[in-house]
Amino acid sequence: MKYINRPQALLLLKDGTIFYGKSIGIEGKTYGEVAFNTGTTGYQEIFTDPSYFGQIMVTTNAHIGNYGVNHEEVESDSVKISGLVCKNFSFNYSRESAEQSLYDYLEKENIIVISDVDTRALVSYIRDNGAMNAVICTDGTPVEVLMKEFDAIPDMKGLELASKVSTKEAYYYGNENSKYKISALDLGIKTNILRSLASRDCYVKVFPYNASYEDMKSFAPDGYFLSNGPGDPEPLISAQQVARDIMNENQPLFGICLGHQVIALANGVSTYKMFNGHRGINHPVKNLITGKGEITSQNHGFAVNREELEAHPDLEITHLHLNDNTVAGMHSKSKNCFSVQYHPEANPGPHDSTYLFDQFIENIISLKN
């Protein structure tokens, strides 16, 4: 194998800390909030997850790209991360079903990548100092210039990003002859969520992030879904109103991640930006209703205020994250509504949490009867 001499690159954090590495050959620079994911597989699903829009992704697994990419393993129509930081980037791949290399895939979408970084040291630094804005530079721009450009990069707190990844026009997913009809609000919806609903005999109409309740109601759905997505939930005033309207009419409502946070805000419970967030496929969650544990996939940098939720007269905590006791799920005592702060469609357990989609269908059936 011919040795390729790759140019030096750097990752500059907003606090001035620099981590050096090498460019994989895609020249340029990219800004975003630096965050890390602890998953050992699933890099293609991570890179195409709309919830990661605006973030520079640090992968803790030592090898990235070794099994190539396959078009069936995407969560949206394009790569959504701002950039990639990894230890070893594999230009070659060995999986028979792969259709192309990860390099070709990322080059086509001009995603800036830095490899040969001490990712263990970087993750340790982020854990101690929190998620912050950063820049990957592979084009030799001086550090002094890069530092000045941080002033134009907004912090994730208060940043509305759902509009950047949501569909512009409503569309349909599934079999139109299915038994159930679902109106889904696209705040950054993952494809496998739609697959999970369709596999349960649901025909889904997906609406833009700023659709009104009347828009969604016009489909005459049996239930409503609020999706995952990127950014701060607080600016999503329209989505919060949709959640309130659905609950006021006591229609079946299921929310995941950003949708979960929107439902909390719609009920007067605040959210906050986490120091690091939860991103990985091995997060332990306890179902307080059944007493069972679940291994879950998580990807969020904001969370629901637990104290306010515990004091709420109508909302109740149903799931807790066992690493830090943050809220991982809730439901309404009087309304047909529940939500979780993780991804049941991602199957890391592998099937620990898929019952949540069944629960949604059961709520629909219960209301019909």
Side-chain angles (χ1 to χ4, degrees), residues 73-84:
E73 295 169 2
V74 298
E75 291 293 353
S76 66
D77 60 0
S78 64
V79 175
K80 293 299 190 293
I81 59 172
S82 294
L84 170 63

Side-chain angles (χ1 to χ4, degrees), residues 23 36-37 48 83 96 106 108 113 132 152 176 190 194 242 246 292 296 304 346:
S23 168
F36 60 88
N37 188 295
T48 57
E96 186 175 349
L106 296 177
K108 183 179 179 180
V113 182
M132 67 183 80
E176 63 180 344
K190 292 172 65 177
L194 296 174
V242 166
I246 295 169
K292 294 182 178 180
T296 69
V304 172

Side-chain angles (χ1 to χ4, degrees), residues 145-194:
V145 175
L146 297 174
M147 285 297 298
K148 291 179 180 178
E149 292 178 354
F150 273 119
D151 294 337
I153 309 302
D155 291 331
M156 193 63 72
K157 174 65 178 174
L159 192 58
E160 185 278 298
L161 292 177
S163 60
K164 306 295 185 182
V165 296
S166 178
T167 181
K168 304 303 180 186
E169 302 289 339
Y171 66 93
Y172 300 91
Y173 190 96
N175 184 349
E176 63 180 344
N177 296 316
S178 297
K179 189 173 183 179
Y180 309 107
K181 294 167 63 179
I182 306 296
S183 284
L185 191 65
D186 178 13
L187 306 176
I189 198 165
K190 292 172 65 177
T191 301
N192 212 36
I193 289 176
L194 296 174

Side-chain angles (χ1 to χ4, degrees), residues 352-366:
D352 297 9
S353 306
T354 54
Y355 70 89
L356 291 162
F357 290 101
D358 298 325
Q359 181 179 324
F360 182 40
I361 302 303
E362 289 168 5
N363 287 354
I364 290 172
I365 294 172
S366 176

Side-chain angles (χ1 to χ4, degrees), residues 31-225:
Y31 287 83
E33 182 185 63
V34 66
F36 60 88
N37 188 295
T38 59
T40 56
T41 60
Y43 54 75
Q44 189 178 352
E45 291 90 336
I46 292 169
F47 300 162
T48 57
D49 181 351
S51 295
Y52 281 124
F53 184 87
Q55 292 184 320
I56 291 174
M57 179 51 51
V58 181
T59 50
T60 62
N61 189 37
H63 297 278
I64 297 299
N66 51 308
Y67 58 82
V69 295
N70 184 299
H71 76 280
E72 293 183 353
E73 295 169 2
V74 298
E75 291 293 353
S76 66
D77 60 0
S78 64
V79 175
K80 293 299 190 293
I81 59 172
S82 294
L84 170 63
V85 182
C86 62
K87 176 59 178 174
N88 299 308
F89 187 91
S90 299
F91 291 85
N92 300 307
Y93 58 91
S94 58
R95 186 173 55 154
E96 186 175 349
S97 62
E99 297 165 343
Q100 64 180 144
S101 70
L102 181 60
Y103 174 80
D104 290 340
Y105 186 63
L106 296 177
E107 183 188 38
K108 183 179 179 180
E109 302 205 30
N110 196 35
I111 303 299
I112 309 300
V113 182
I114 179 173
S115 69
D116 295 78
V117 174
D118 186 346
T119 50
R120 290 183 299 176
L122 174 57
V123 169
S124 179
Y125 190 87
I126 297 171
R127 284 180 60 86
D128 290 341
N129 295 276
M132 67 183 80
N133 283 341
V135 57
I136 300 173
C137 179
T138 64
D139 64 6
T141 301
V143 171
E144 301 77 29
V145 175
L146 297 174
M147 285 297 298
K148 291 179 180 178
E149 292 178 354
F150 273 119
D151 294 337
I153 309 302
D155 291 331
M156 193 63 72
K157 174 65 178 174
L159 192 58
E160 185 278 298
L161 292 177
S163 60
K164 306 295 185 182
V165 296
S166 178
T167 181
K168 304 303 180 186
E169 302 289 339
Y171 66 93
Y172 300 91
Y173 190 96
N175 184 349
E176 63 180 344
N177 296 316
S178 297
K179 189 173 183 179
Y180 309 107
K181 294 167 63 179
I182 306 296
S183 284
L185 191 65
D186 178 13
L187 306 176
I189 198 165
K190 292 172 65 177
T191 301
N192 212 36
I193 289 176
L194 296 174
R195 292 193 195 106
S196 297
L197 291 169
S199 69
R200 287 164 174 80
D201 209 11
C202 294
Y203 185 47
V204 187
K205 186 172 183 180
V206 183
F207 291 84
Y209 80 103
N210 56 354
S212 68
Y213 175 54
E214 291 303 316
D215 293 334
M216 299 178 72
K217 188 177 179 180
S218 65
F219 185 50
D222 300 298
Y224 295 83
F225 177 79

